[in-house]
Coordinates of all heavy atoms in Angstrom, one line a residue:
L104 N -38.3 68.6 -45.7 CA -38.3 67.2 -45.4 C -37.4 66.9 -44.2 O -36.2 67.2 -44.3 CB -37.9 66.4 -46.7 CG -38.0 64.9 -46.6 CD1 -38.4 64.3 -48.0 CD2 -36.8 64.2 -46.1
V105 N -37.9 66.2 -43.2 CA -37.1 65.9 -42.0 C -36.9 64.4 -41.8 O -36.1 64.0 -41.0 CB -37.7 66.5 -40.7 CG1 -37.7 68.1 -40.8 CG2 -39.1 66.1 -40.5
A106 N -37.7 63.6 -42.5 CA -37.5 62.1 -42.4 C -38.0 61.4 -43.6 O -39.1 61.8 -44.1 CB -38.1 61.6 -41.1
D107 N -37.3 60.3 -44.0 CA -37.8 59.5 -45.1 C -37.2 58.1 -44.9 O -36.1 57.8 -45.2 CB -37.3 60.1 -46.4 CG -37.8 59.2 -47.6 OD1 -38.4 58.2 -47.4 OD2 -37.5 59.6 -48.8
D108 N -38.0 57.2 -44.3 CA -37.5 55.9 -43.9 C -38.7 55.0 -43.5 O -39.8 55.5 -43.4 CB -36.4 55.9 -42.9 CG -35.4 54.9 -43.1 OD1 -35.7 53.8 -43.5 OD2 -34.2 55.1 -42.7
T109 N -38.4 53.7 -43.1 CA -39.4 52.9 -42.5 C -39.6 53.3 -41.1 O -38.7 53.9 -40.4 CB -39.0 51.4 -42.6 OG1 -37.8 51.2 -41.8 CG2 -38.7 51.0 -44.0
A110 N -40.8 52.9 -40.5 CA -41.1 53.2 -39.1 C -40.0 52.5 -38.2 O -39.6 53.1 -37.2 CB -42.5 52.8 -38.8
A111 N -39.7 51.3 -38.6 CA -38.7 50.5 -37.7 C -37.3 51.2 -37.7 O -36.7 51.3 -36.7 CB -38.6 49.1 -38.2
N112 N -36.9 51.7 -38.9 CA -35.6 52.3 -39.0 C -35.6 53.7 -38.3 O -34.6 54.0 -37.6 CB -35.2 52.5 -40.4 CG -34.7 51.2 -41.1 OD1 -34.5 50.2 -40.4 ND2 -34.6 51.2 -42.4
L113 N -36.7 54.4 -38.4 CA -36.8 55.7 -37.7 C -36.7 55.5 -36.2 O -36.1 56.2 -35.4 CB -38.0 56.4 -38.1 CG -38.1 57.0 -39.5 CD1 -39.4 57.6 -39.8 CD2 -37.0 58.1 -39.6
S114 N -37.4 54.4 -35.7 CA -37.5 54.1 -34.3 C -36.1 53.8 -33.8 O -35.6 54.3 -32.7 CB -38.4 53.0 -34.0 OG -38.5 52.7 -32.6
A115 N -35.4 52.9 -34.5 CA -34.0 52.6 -34.1 C -33.1 53.8 -34.2 O -32.2 53.9 -33.3 CB -33.5 51.5 -35.1
Q116 N -33.3 54.7 -35.2 CA -32.4 55.8 -35.3 C -32.6 56.8 -34.1 O -31.6 57.3 -33.6 CB -32.8 56.6 -36.6 CG -32.1 57.9 -36.8 CD -30.7 57.8 -37.3 OE1 -30.3 56.8 -37.7 NE2 -30.0 58.9 -37.2
Y117 N -33.8 57.0 -33.7 CA -34.0 58.0 -32.7 C -34.1 57.5 -31.3 O -33.9 58.3 -30.3 CB -35.3 58.8 -33.0 CG -35.1 59.8 -34.1 CD1 -35.3 59.5 -35.4 CD2 -34.6 61.1 -33.8 CE1 -35.1 60.4 -36.4 CE2 -34.3 62.0 -34.8 CZ -34.6 61.7 -36.1 OH -34.3 62.6 -37.1
S118 N -34.4 56.2 -31.1 CA -34.6 55.7 -29.7 C -33.3 55.6 -28.9 O -33.2 56.1 -27.8 CB -35.3 54.4 -29.8 OG -36.6 54.5 -30.3
G119 N -32.3 54.9 -29.5 CA -31.1 54.6 -28.8 C -31.4 53.6 -27.6 O -30.6 53.5 -26.7
D120 N -32.5 53.0 -27.7 CA -32.9 52.1 -26.6 C -33.5 50.8 -27.3 O -34.7 50.9 -27.7 CB -33.9 52.7 -25.7 CG -34.1 51.9 -24.4 OD1 -33.7 50.7 -24.4 OD2 -34.7 52.4 -23.4
R121 N -32.7 49.8 -27.4 CA -33.2 48.5 -28.0 C -33.8 47.6 -27.0 O -34.2 46.5 -27.4 CB -32.0 47.9 -28.7 CG -31.3 48.7 -29.8 CD -30.3 47.9 -30.5 NE -29.4 47.2 -29.6 CZ -28.3 47.7 -29.0 NH1 -28.0 48.9 -29.3 NH2 -27.6 47.0 -28.2
R122 N -34.0 48.0 -25.8 CA -34.4 47.0 -24.8 C -35.9 46.5 -25.0 O -36.7 47.3 -25.5 CB -34.3 47.6 -23.4 CG -32.8 47.8 -22.9 CD -32.8 48.4 -21.5 NE -33.4 49.7 -21.5 CZ -33.7 50.4 -20.4 NH1 -33.4 49.8 -19.2 NH2 -34.3 51.6 -20.4
L123 N -36.1 45.3 -24.5 CA -37.4 44.7 -24.5 C -37.9 44.7 -23.0 O -37.1 44.3 -22.1 CB -37.5 43.3 -25.1 CG -37.1 43.2 -26.5 CD1 -37.0 41.7 -26.9 CD2 -38.1 43.9 -27.4
L124 N -39.1 45.0 -22.8 CA -39.7 45.0 -21.4 C -40.6 43.7 -21.4 O -41.5 43.6 -22.1 CB -40.5 46.2 -21.1 CG -40.7 46.6 -19.7 CD1 -39.4 46.8 -19.0 CD2 -41.6 47.8 -19.6
V125 N -40.2 42.8 -20.4 CA -40.9 41.5 -20.4 C -41.5 41.3 -19.0 O -40.9 41.7 -18.0 CB -39.8 40.4 -20.6 CG1 -40.5 39.0 -20.6 CG2 -39.1 40.6 -21.9
R126 N -42.7 40.8 -19.0 CA -43.3 40.4 -17.7 C -43.5 38.9 -17.7 O -44.1 38.3 -18.7 CB -44.6 41.1 -17.5 CG -44.5 42.6 -17.2 CD -45.8 43.1 -16.6 NE -45.6 44.5 -16.3 CZ -46.5 45.3 -15.6 NH1 -47.6 44.7 -15.2 NH2 -46.2 46.5 -15.3
V127 N -43.0 38.2 -16.6 CA -43.0 36.7 -16.6 C -43.6 36.3 -15.2 O -43.2 36.9 -14.2 CB -41.6 36.2 -16.8 CG1 -41.6 34.6 -16.7 CG2 -41.0 36.6 -18.1
A128 N -44.4 35.3 -15.2 CA -44.9 34.7 -14.0 C -44.0 33.5 -13.6 O -44.1 32.5 -14.3 CB -46.4 34.2 -14.2
G129 N -43.1 33.8 -12.7 CA -42.1 32.8 -12.3 C -41.2 33.3 -11.2 O -41.2 34.5 -10.9
P130 N -40.4 32.5 -10.6 CA -39.4 32.9 -9.6 C -38.5 34.0 -10.1 O -37.8 33.7 -11.1 CB -38.7 31.7 -9.1 CG -38.9 30.7 -10.2 CD -40.2 31.0 -10.9
E131 N -38.4 35.1 -9.5 CA -37.6 36.3 -10.0 C -36.2 35.9 -10.4 O -35.7 36.2 -11.5 CB -37.6 37.4 -9.0 CG -36.9 38.7 -9.5 CD -37.0 39.8 -8.4 OE1 -37.3 39.5 -7.3 OE2 -36.7 40.9 -8.8
A132 N -35.4 35.4 -9.4 CA -34.0 35.1 -9.7 C -33.8 34.1 -10.8 O -32.9 34.3 -11.6 CB -33.3 34.7 -8.4
D133 N -34.6 33.0 -10.8 CA -34.5 32.0 -11.8 C -34.8 32.5 -13.2 O -34.1 32.2 -14.2 CB -35.4 30.8 -11.5 CG -34.9 30.1 -10.2 OD1 -33.8 30.2 -9.8 OD2 -35.7 29.3 -9.6
V134 N -35.9 33.3 -13.3 CA -36.2 33.9 -14.5 C -35.1 34.8 -15.1 O -34.8 34.8 -16.2 CB -37.6 34.7 -14.4 CG1 -37.9 35.4 -15.7 CG2 -38.7 33.7 -14.1
Q135 N -34.6 35.6 -14.2 CA -33.5 36.6 -14.6 C -32.3 35.8 -15.1 O -31.7 36.2 -16.2 CB -33.1 37.5 -13.4 CG -32.1 38.6 -13.9 CD -31.8 39.6 -12.8 OE1 -32.5 39.5 -11.7 NE2 -30.9 40.4 -13.0
R136 N -31.9 34.7 -14.5 CA -30.8 33.9 -15.0 C -31.1 33.3 -16.3 O -30.2 33.3 -17.2 CB -30.5 32.8 -14.0 CG -29.6 33.2 -12.8 CD -29.1 32.1 -12.0 NE -30.1 31.3 -11.4 CZ -30.6 31.5 -10.2 NH1 -30.1 32.6 -9.5 NH2 -31.6 30.8 -9.6
L137 N -32.3 32.8 -16.5 CA -32.7 32.3 -17.8 C -32.6 33.3 -18.9 O -32.1 33.1 -20.0 CB -34.1 31.7 -17.7 CG -34.7 31.1 -19.0 CD1 -35.5 29.8 -18.7 CD2 -35.5 32.1 -19.8
L138 N -33.2 34.5 -18.6 CA -33.2 35.6 -19.6 C -31.8 36.0 -20.0 O -31.4 36.2 -21.2 CB -34.0 36.8 -19.1 CG -35.5 36.6 -18.8 CD1 -36.1 37.9 -18.2 CD2 -36.2 36.2 -20.1
A139 N -30.9 36.1 -19.0 CA -29.5 36.5 -19.2 C -28.8 35.5 -20.1 O -27.8 35.8 -20.7 CB -28.8 36.8 -17.9
G140 N -29.2 34.2 -20.0 CA -28.5 33.1 -20.7 C -29.0 32.9 -22.1 O -28.4 32.1 -22.8
I141 N -30.0 33.7 -22.6 CA -30.4 33.5 -24.0 C -29.4 34.0 -24.9 O -28.9 35.2 -24.7 CB -31.8 34.2 -24.2 CG1 -32.9 33.6 -23.3 CG2 -32.2 34.3 -25.6 CD1 -34.2 34.3 -23.4

């Protein structure tokens, strides 16, 4: 047995990368400031 958990927990355990990749139609600099301020 090498794993026993939920898919979400296994993904968090092995990924080490919690980032979200977002595509937005809008002015680049303004969108980046808005995202950083959330």
Side-chain angles (χ1 to χ4, degrees):
L104 188 148
V105 295
D107 179 0
D108 213 328
T109 65
N112 286 347
L113 288 173
S114 181
Q116 171 78 16
Y117 281 93
S118 293
D120 191 345
R121 301 186 310 276
R122 291 181 298 169
L123 298 173
L124 202 61
V125 183
R126 288 195 179 190
V127 180
E131 180 180 17
D133 292 342
V134 173
Q135 185 172 353
R136 279 193 294 272
L137 179 144
L138 297 177
I141 294 175

